[in-house]
Amino acid sequence: MYEQGTVTAVKGEIITIKCGKPEQCKSCSSSFCNVKTKNFRALNRDSLDLKEGDEVEVYVSPGKTIAYSFIVLIFPLLMFVAGYFISGTVFGVNSDPIKALFGLAGLATGFILSFLFNSIRKNHNLPVITGKIE
């Protein structure tokens, strides 16, 4: 989906953008663009000549948003469930509190793996600037 915003900072290929008008962001009900003072980062892949104050159009990929949400939220929860059940089947643990501790260890591992994955693919999930609005 396409959104519009105002450039607030330029650091190489990474551009910081603020949504100019909150009513523009109602279509996606995303958390990063429905707050008037909220800034977010976007990629300037086409090396557009942008400076602070420019109005730009930004493409937010629904597929990347869903994938990012899965990696950040769902994957750690699945790791909790895996840790809980693996503790019983592999290690023969019968105590629910101990299984819960294994689950928490799985949850922590899930968050760590999510963080590492996102660190490696740092700018992959960012919205992309598609053009400058004149």
Side-chain angles (χ1 to χ4, degrees), residues 33-58:
C33 209
N34 63 5
V35 180
K36 189 175 183 179
T37 59
K38 181 76 172 174
N39 291 330
F40 63 96
R41 296 179 310 145
L43 281 178
N44 184 8
R45 285 193 183 151
D46 297 332
S47 300
L48 300 170
D49 183 30
L50 298 174
K51 59 186 180 302
E52 196 172 314
D54 286 345
E55 294 289 323
V56 293
E57 182 178 65
V58 180

mmCIF file of all heavy atoms in Angstrom, residues 33-58:
data_model
loop_
_atom_site.group_PDB
_atom_site.id
_atom_site.type_symbol
_atom_site.label_atom_id
_atom_site.label_comp_id
_atom_site.label_asym_id
_atom_site.label_seq_id
_atom_site.Cartn_x
_atom_site.Cartn_y
_atom_site.Cartn_z
ATOM 1 N N CYS A 33 2.159 4.763 11.509
ATOM 2 C CA CYS A 33 1.758 5.949 10.763
ATOM 3 C C CYS A 33 0.456 6.579 11.262
ATOM 4 O O CYS A 33 -0.002 7.534 10.691
ATOM 5 C CB CYS A 33 1.627 5.584 9.287
ATOM 6 S SG CYS A 33 1.955 6.934 8.172
ATOM 7 N N ASN A 34 -0.134 6.060 12.313
ATOM 8 C CA ASN A 34 -1.395 6.645 12.755
ATOM 9 C C ASN A 34 -1.226 7.615 13.924
ATOM 10 O O ASN A 34 -2.180 8.091 14.481
ATOM 11 C CB ASN A 34 -2.428 5.566 13.098
ATOM 12 C CG ASN A 34 -1.981 4.699 14.242
ATOM 13 O OD1 ASN A 34 -0.960 4.934 14.853
ATOM 14 N ND2 ASN A 34 -2.760 3.669 14.516
ATOM 15 N N VAL A 35 0.012 7.901 14.281
ATOM 16 C CA VAL A 35 0.300 8.860 15.324
ATOM 17 C C VAL A 35 0.960 10.065 14.677
ATOM 18 O O VAL A 35 1.927 9.931 13.954
ATOM 19 C CB VAL A 35 1.232 8.247 16.397
ATOM 20 C CG1 VAL A 35 1.537 9.256 17.486
ATOM 21 C CG2 VAL A 35 0.607 7.005 16.986
ATOM 22 N N LYS A 36 0.456 11.244 14.949
ATOM 23 C CA LYS A 36 0.884 12.456 14.252
ATOM 24 C C LYS A 36 2.386 12.704 14.355
ATOM 25 O O LYS A 36 3.026 13.129 13.399
ATOM 26 C CB LYS A 36 0.103 13.648 14.799
ATOM 27 C CG LYS A 36 0.298 14.909 14.024
ATOM 28 C CD LYS A 36 -0.589 15.999 14.550
ATOM 29 C CE LYS A 36 -0.453 17.245 13.722
ATOM 30 N NZ LYS A 36 -1.311 18.308 14.196
ATOM 31 N N THR A 37 2.984 12.476 15.511
ATOM 32 C CA THR A 37 4.395 12.794 15.697
ATOM 33 C C THR A 37 5.315 11.590 15.506
ATOM 34 O O THR A 37 6.497 11.688 15.733
ATOM 35 C CB THR A 37 4.626 13.359 17.111
ATOM 36 O OG1 THR A 37 4.197 12.383 18.064
ATOM 37 C CG2 THR A 37 3.867 14.656 17.308
ATOM 38 N N LYS A 38 4.805 10.490 15.082
ATOM 39 C CA LYS A 38 5.609 9.274 14.936
ATOM 40 C C LYS A 38 6.448 9.322 13.669
ATOM 41 O O LYS A 38 5.953 9.607 12.589
ATOM 42 C CB LYS A 38 4.680 8.055 14.907
ATOM 43 C CG LYS A 38 5.371 6.756 14.793
ATOM 44 C CD LYS A 38 5.991 6.369 16.087
ATOM 45 C CE LYS A 38 6.520 4.958 15.979
ATOM 46 N NZ LYS A 38 7.253 4.543 17.099
ATOM 47 N N ASN A 39 7.730 9.052 13.818
ATOM 48 C CA ASN A 39 8.639 8.970 12.680
ATOM 49 C C ASN A 39 8.941 7.509 12.389
ATOM 50 O O ASN A 39 8.930 6.673 13.289
ATOM 51 C CB ASN A 39 9.945 9.696 12.985
ATOM 52 C CG ASN A 39 9.758 11.191 13.075
ATOM 53 O OD1 ASN A 39 8.896 11.762 12.428
ATOM 54 N ND2 ASN A 39 10.560 11.830 13.897
ATOM 55 N N PHE A 40 9.221 7.193 11.135
ATOM 56 C CA PHE A 40 9.639 5.852 10.756
ATOM 57 C C PHE A 40 10.704 5.964 9.686
ATOM 58 O O PHE A 40 10.873 6.992 9.052
ATOM 59 C CB PHE A 40 8.451 4.993 10.300
ATOM 60 C CG PHE A 40 7.762 5.499 9.061
ATOM 61 C CD1 PHE A 40 8.094 4.986 7.822
ATOM 62 C CD2 PHE A 40 6.787 6.477 9.136
ATOM 63 C CE1 PHE A 40 7.467 5.445 6.682
ATOM 64 C CE2 PHE A 40 6.151 6.939 8.004
ATOM 65 C CZ PHE A 40 6.496 6.427 6.770
ATOM 66 N N ARG A 41 11.441 4.877 9.503
ATOM 67 C CA ARG A 41 12.516 4.856 8.517
ATOM 68 C C ARG A 41 12.039 4.182 7.239
ATOM 69 O O ARG A 41 11.214 3.279 7.277
ATOM 70 C CB ARG A 41 13.732 4.115 9.059
ATOM 71 C CG ARG A 41 14.352 4.789 10.250
ATOM 72 C CD ARG A 41 15.536 4.045 10.814
ATOM 73 N NE ARG A 41 15.201 2.645 11.028
ATOM 74 C CZ ARG A 41 16.042 1.628 10.859
ATOM 75 N NH1 ARG A 41 17.272 1.841 10.472
ATOM 76 N NH2 ARG A 41 15.665 0.394 11.078
ATOM 77 N N ALA A 42 12.592 4.646 6.114
ATOM 78 C CA ALA A 42 12.286 4.059 4.812
ATOM 79 C C ALA A 42 13.562 4.068 3.973
ATOM 80 O O ALA A 42 14.501 4.830 4.237
ATOM 81 C CB ALA A 42 11.179 4.835 4.110
ATOM 82 N N LEU A 43 13.585 3.206 2.964
ATOM 83 C CA LEU A 43 14.734 3.111 2.064
ATOM 84 C C LEU A 43 14.547 3.998 0.845
ATOM 85 O O LEU A 43 13.480 4.034 0.256
ATOM 86 C CB LEU A 43 14.906 1.677 1.567
ATOM 87 C CG LEU A 43 15.562 0.690 2.501
ATOM 88 C CD1 LEU A 43 15.602 -0.683 1.849
ATOM 89 C CD2 LEU A 43 16.949 1.115 2.864
ATOM 90 N N ASN A 44 15.624 4.667 0.463
ATOM 91 C CA ASN A 44 15.652 5.464 -0.765
ATOM 92 C C ASN A 44 16.451 4.664 -1.792
ATOM 93 O O ASN A 44 17.585 5.000 -2.115
ATOM 94 C CB ASN A 44 16.286 6.826 -0.490
ATOM 95 C CG ASN A 44 16.260 7.729 -1.691
ATOM 96 O OD1 ASN A 44 15.651 7.423 -2.706
ATOM 97 N ND2 ASN A 44 16.934 8.857 -1.586
ATOM 98 N N ARG A 45 15.879 3.579 -2.285
ATOM 99 C CA ARG A 45 16.580 2.672 -3.205
ATOM 100 C C ARG A 45 16.918 3.311 -4.542
ATOM 101 O O ARG A 45 17.899 2.957 -5.176
ATOM 102 C CB ARG A 45 15.736 1.420 -3.460
ATOM 103 C CG ARG A 45 15.739 0.479 -2.321
ATOM 104 C CD ARG A 45 15.170 -0.859 -2.744
ATOM 105 N NE ARG A 45 15.116 -1.722 -1.585
ATOM 106 C CZ ARG A 45 14.237 -2.682 -1.422
ATOM 107 N NH1 ARG A 45 13.333 -2.907 -2.342
ATOM 108 N NH2 ARG A 45 14.245 -3.421 -0.343
ATOM 109 N N ASP A 46 16.081 4.247 -4.981
ATOM 110 C CA ASP A 46 16.299 4.880 -6.291
ATOM 111 C C ASP A 46 17.211 6.092 -6.209
ATOM 112 O O ASP A 46 17.358 6.820 -7.191
ATOM 113 C CB ASP A 46 14.952 5.287 -6.904
ATOM 114 C CG ASP A 46 14.071 4.079 -7.168
ATOM 115 O OD1 ASP A 46 14.618 2.978 -7.392
ATOM 116 O OD2 ASP A 46 12.838 4.232 -7.132
ATOM 117 N N SER A 47 17.822 6.331 -5.052
ATOM 118 C CA SER A 47 18.732 7.462 -4.840
ATOM 119 C C SER A 47 18.114 8.784 -5.274
ATOM 120 O O SER A 47 18.745 9.596 -5.955
ATOM 121 C CB SER A 47 20.063 7.229 -5.566
ATOM 122 O OG SER A 47 20.684 6.072 -5.099
ATOM 123 N N LEU A 48 16.862 9.002 -4.873
ATOM 124 C CA LEU A 48 16.193 10.264 -5.173
ATOM 125 C C LEU A 48 16.881 11.389 -4.411
ATOM 126 O O LEU A 48 17.391 11.189 -3.314
ATOM 127 C CB LEU A 48 14.722 10.193 -4.759
ATOM 128 C CG LEU A 48 13.878 9.119 -5.437
ATOM 129 C CD1 LEU A 48 12.531 9.008 -4.756
ATOM 130 C CD2 LEU A 48 13.705 9.444 -6.902
ATOM 131 N N ASP A 49 16.915 12.568 -5.000
ATOM 132 C CA ASP A 49 17.512 13.732 -4.347
ATOM 133 C C ASP A 49 16.509 14.273 -3.329
ATOM 134 O O ASP A 49 15.616 15.047 -3.679
ATOM 135 C CB ASP A 49 17.878 14.793 -5.387
ATOM 136 C CG ASP A 49 18.558 15.993 -4.761
ATOM 137 O OD1 ASP A 49 19.232 15.812 -3.726
ATOM 138 O OD2 ASP A 49 18.404 17.102 -5.305
ATOM 139 N N LEU A 50 16.650 13.833 -2.073
ATOM 140 C CA LEU A 50 15.706 14.216 -1.028
ATOM 141 C C LEU A 50 16.403 15.052 0.029
ATOM 142 O O LEU A 50 17.575 14.843 0.333
ATOM 143 C CB LEU A 50 15.115 12.969 -0.363
ATOM 144 C CG LEU A 50 14.316 12.038 -1.257
ATOM 145 C CD1 LEU A 50 13.917 10.789 -0.494
ATOM 146 C CD2 LEU A 50 13.102 12.742 -1.822
ATOM 147 N N LYS A 51 15.652 15.993 0.566
ATOM 148 C CA LYS A 51 16.154 16.791 1.677
ATOM 149 C C LYS A 51 15.021 16.960 2.687
ATOM 150 O O LYS A 51 13.858 16.666 2.398
ATOM 151 C CB LYS A 51 16.683 18.134 1.194
ATOM 152 C CG LYS A 51 15.679 19.001 0.473
ATOM 153 C CD LYS A 51 16.361 20.236 -0.080
ATOM 154 C CE LYS A 51 15.411 21.137 -0.803
ATOM 155 N NZ LYS A 51 14.692 20.575 -1.910
ATOM 156 N N GLU A 52 15.379 17.432 3.852
ATOM 157 C CA GLU A 52 14.400 17.620 4.914
ATOM 158 C C GLU A 52 13.266 18.527 4.453
ATOM 159 O O GLU A 52 13.491 19.557 3.838
ATOM 160 C CB GLU A 52 15.095 18.238 6.130
ATOM 161 C CG GLU A 52 14.301 18.133 7.392
ATOM 162 C CD GLU A 52 15.103 18.588 8.598
ATOM 163 O OE1 GLU A 52 16.266 18.182 8.717
ATOM 164 O OE2 GLU A 52 14.534 19.342 9.402
ATOM 165 N N GLY A 53 12.041 18.088 4.725
ATOM 166 C CA GLY A 53 10.859 18.851 4.356
ATOM 167 C C GLY A 53 10.195 18.395 3.071
ATOM 168 O O GLY A 53 9.073 18.804 2.780
ATOM 169 N N ASP A 54 10.860 17.549 2.287
ATOM 170 C CA ASP A 54 10.263 17.045 1.044
ATOM 171 C C ASP A 54 9.109 16.099 1.351
ATOM 172 O O ASP A 54 9.158 15.324 2.306
ATOM 173 C CB ASP A 54 11.305 16.295 0.205
ATOM 174 C CG ASP A 54 12.306 17.205 -0.467
ATOM 175 O OD1 ASP A 54 12.051 18.421 -0.539
ATOM 176 O OD2 ASP A 54 13.348 16.692 -0.910
ATOM 177 N N GLU A 55 8.085 16.166 0.524
ATOM 178 C CA GLU A 55 6.957 15.234 0.614
ATOM 179 C C GLU A 55 7.274 14.037 -0.281
ATOM 180 O O GLU A 55 7.686 14.209 -1.420
ATOM 181 C CB GLU A 55 5.668 15.907 0.149
ATOM 182 C CG GLU A 55 5.203 17.044 1.028
ATOM 183 C CD GLU A 55 4.674 16.580 2.370
ATOM 184 O OE1 GLU A 55 4.024 15.511 2.426
ATOM 185 O OE2 GLU A 55 4.927 17.279 3.362
ATOM 186 N N VAL A 56 7.074 12.838 0.251
ATOM 187 C CA VAL A 56 7.393 11.628 -0.503
ATOM 188 C C VAL A 56 6.245 10.632 -0.425
ATOM 189 O O VAL A 56 5.410 10.676 0.481
ATOM 190 C CB VAL A 56 8.692 10.958 0.004
ATOM 191 C CG1 VAL A 56 9.900 11.822 -0.274
ATOM 192 C CG2 VAL A 56 8.608 10.622 1.475
ATOM 193 N N GLU A 57 6.244 9.728 -1.396
ATOM 194 C CA GLU A 57 5.310 8.607 -1.394
ATOM 195 C C GLU A 57 6.105 7.377 -0.992
ATOM 196 O O GLU A 57 7.210 7.149 -1.480
ATOM 197 C CB GLU A 57 4.704 8.420 -2.779
ATOM 198 C CG GLU A 57 3.683 7.300 -2.824
ATOM 199 C CD GLU A 57 3.065 7.162 -4.195
ATOM 200 O OE1 GLU A 57 3.810 6.826 -5.134
ATOM 201 O OE2 GLU A 57 1.864 7.390 -4.319
ATOM 202 N N VAL A 58 5.527 6.575 -0.093
ATOM 203 C CA VAL A 58 6.211 5.410 0.457
ATOM 204 C C VAL A 58 5.361 4.171 0.211
ATOM 205 O O VAL A 58 4.148 4.189 0.413
ATOM 206 C CB VAL A 58 6.436 5.589 1.974
ATOM 207 C CG1 VAL A 58 7.141 4.392 2.568
ATOM 208 C CG2 VAL A 58 7.216 6.855 2.260
#
